[in-house]
Amino acid sequence: MDKVDTAIKRLQTASEMSLATYGKPMMICISGGKDSGVLLDLALRAGIPIEVQHSHTTADAPETVRFIRQQLHGLECAGILAHIDYPVYKGRRTSLWQLMRDQMIPPTRGMRYCCRVLKETASRGRMIATGVRWDESPRRASSRGIYENHAANIKRKVVIHSDNAEDRRIFEQCNLRGGMICNPIVDWTDREIWDYTADRKLPVNPLYGCGFGRVGCIGCPMAGKNRWRAFARWPKYRLLYMSAFEDIVIRRRAAGKADNPMFRSGESLFAWWMEDRNIEGQISFDDEVEE
């Protein structure tokens, strides 16, 4: 069985879990990237009932926002339930910029509170499918599986790395109130993703044609040095970050937390956040994040 057939079988199995456990169709989570494009096409080919969802992070590129809306419109015209979810924090609508002010901390590689609020909240309590792949990073290769559960506490996370039927039964019988996740293309490589996209003539986000290797949130720390290129293309997003960072500095001073050189100004905080090695006082905020 090739990877396409395997991925379709995984989706069909996850669909059965979803209907049996939650009484609802599986939710296909799309981001506007190449992986979720392949995921969506495979789900349609699997012949299973689905619901398609996109989490609006407020930091996506304008091109990505337009691409997502076109995708969802096409799905709605085909009679498939498709929707955009907007982020909510503590009962009110929020954005990345407001969330940073509330936390008084910018998101970092090791502290991605933004993902929990902006991407994961809407899909809790459901079986979802994502385009997560091991090939994307060593961390994902070691921590993500074919089937897994939502778990804020890593010690409570259940991860199934194989397609073994007995493993799946044990997983399904667990009390996973937070929801379950299927990553059907977790073992695909970049080349396999692009080959499938070309073979199926799938629409792709136009940013890939502009030389961008990833199309996630503008300024995401996971993008590394590519953030500078993104800010050059979308300078208003840099201004949004700078405004939030200035407010973070003010709020931390008021809370008595401005005891580090980086909090002299929004500029110094921005330089630290962009990993400027000339900035002294590289510290960790891990214990300050508010759930």
Side-chain angles (χ1 to χ4, degrees), residues 222-243:
M222 302 304 291
K225 294 181 179 179
N226 288 324
R227 289 188 289 173
W228 289 113
R229 181 182 180 189
F231 286 138
R233 183 181 177 94
W234 300 286
K236 289 186 178 179
Y237 281 78
R238 186 181 186 279
L239 295 178
L240 287 169
Y241 276 105
M242 288 302 307
S243 176

Side-chain angles (χ1 to χ4, degrees), residues 104-207:
M104 296 191 289
I105 306 166
T108 66
R109 281 175 172 267
M111 187 183 58
R112 298 165 64 187
Y113 63 82
C114 47
C115 291
R116 292 199 298 271
V117 176
L118 304 178
K119 293 183 178 181
E120 300 173 7
T121 304
S123 59
R124 292 298 175 97
R126 295 285 297 271
M127 166 63 87
I128 69 171
T130 81
V132 164
R133 293 185 298 112
W134 290 328
D135 200 37
E136 293 176 298
S137 71
R139 181 177 180 180
R140 288 190 172 183
S142 63
S143 65
R144 306 304 298 266
I146 299 169
Y147 304 100
E148 55 190 58
N149 67 311
H150 279 295
N153 186 336
I154 192 65
K155 294 181 180 179
R156 296 181 179 178
K157 189 170 185 177
V158 179
V159 179
I160 304 298
H161 294 284
S162 74
D163 292 292
N164 183 279
E166 183 60 30
D167 288 343
R168 292 200 307 267
R169 278 194 291 271
I170 293 173
F171 173 75
E172 189 174 6
Q173 291 167 1
C174 291
N175 184 16
L176 304 176
R177 296 180 181 177
M180 296 189 285
I181 304 169
C182 174
N183 302 312
I185 57 173
V186 72
D187 50 354
W188 287 38
T189 65
D190 277 357
R191 173 49 55 193
E192 288 166 336
I193 290 291
W194 283 118
D195 286 348
Y196 183 91
T197 299
D199 290 343
R200 295 286 294 172
K201 297 181 173 58
L202 302 181
V204 295
N205 190 313
L207 291 177

Side-chain angles (χ1 to χ4, degrees), residues 73-89:
H73 177 70
L75 291 167
E76 290 175 334
C77 289
I80 297 172
L81 180 61
H83 54 91
I84 296 175
D85 286 305
Y86 296 89
V88 174
Y89 182 63

Side-chain angles (χ1 to χ4, degrees), residues 33-43 185 188 193 196-197 202:
K34 63 185 187 302
D35 300 330
S36 62
V38 169
L39 169 68
L40 177 59
D41 188 68
L42 289 168
I185 57 173
W188 287 38
I193 290 291
Y196 183 91
T197 299
L202 302 181

Side-chain angles (χ1 to χ4, degrees), residues 46-86:
I48 57 176
I50 61 172
E51 177 181 336
V52 180
Q53 181 264 357
H54 169 70
S55 293
H56 182 70
T57 68
T58 69
D60 285 319
E63 293 88 341
T64 298
V65 173
R66 288 192 291 268
F67 179 71
I68 285 289
R69 288 175 177 169
Q70 291 169 358
Q71 275 190 308
L72 297 185
H73 177 70
L75 291 167
E76 290 175 334
C77 289
I80 297 172
L81 180 61
H83 54 91
I84 296 175
D85 286 305
Y86 296 89

Side-chain angles (χ1 to χ4, degrees), residues 11 24 46 63 93 102 106 118 139 167 179 181 186 191 195 212 217 243 247 251 258 266 270 282:
L11 284 163
K24 296 179 181 180
E63 293 88 341
R93 280 278 297 274
D102 290 339
L118 304 178
R139 181 177 180 180
D167 288 343
I181 304 169
V186 72
R191 173 49 55 193
D195 286 348
F212 284 87
C217 295
S243 176
D247 285 347
R251 292 187 180 204
F270 182 81
Q282 304 289 308

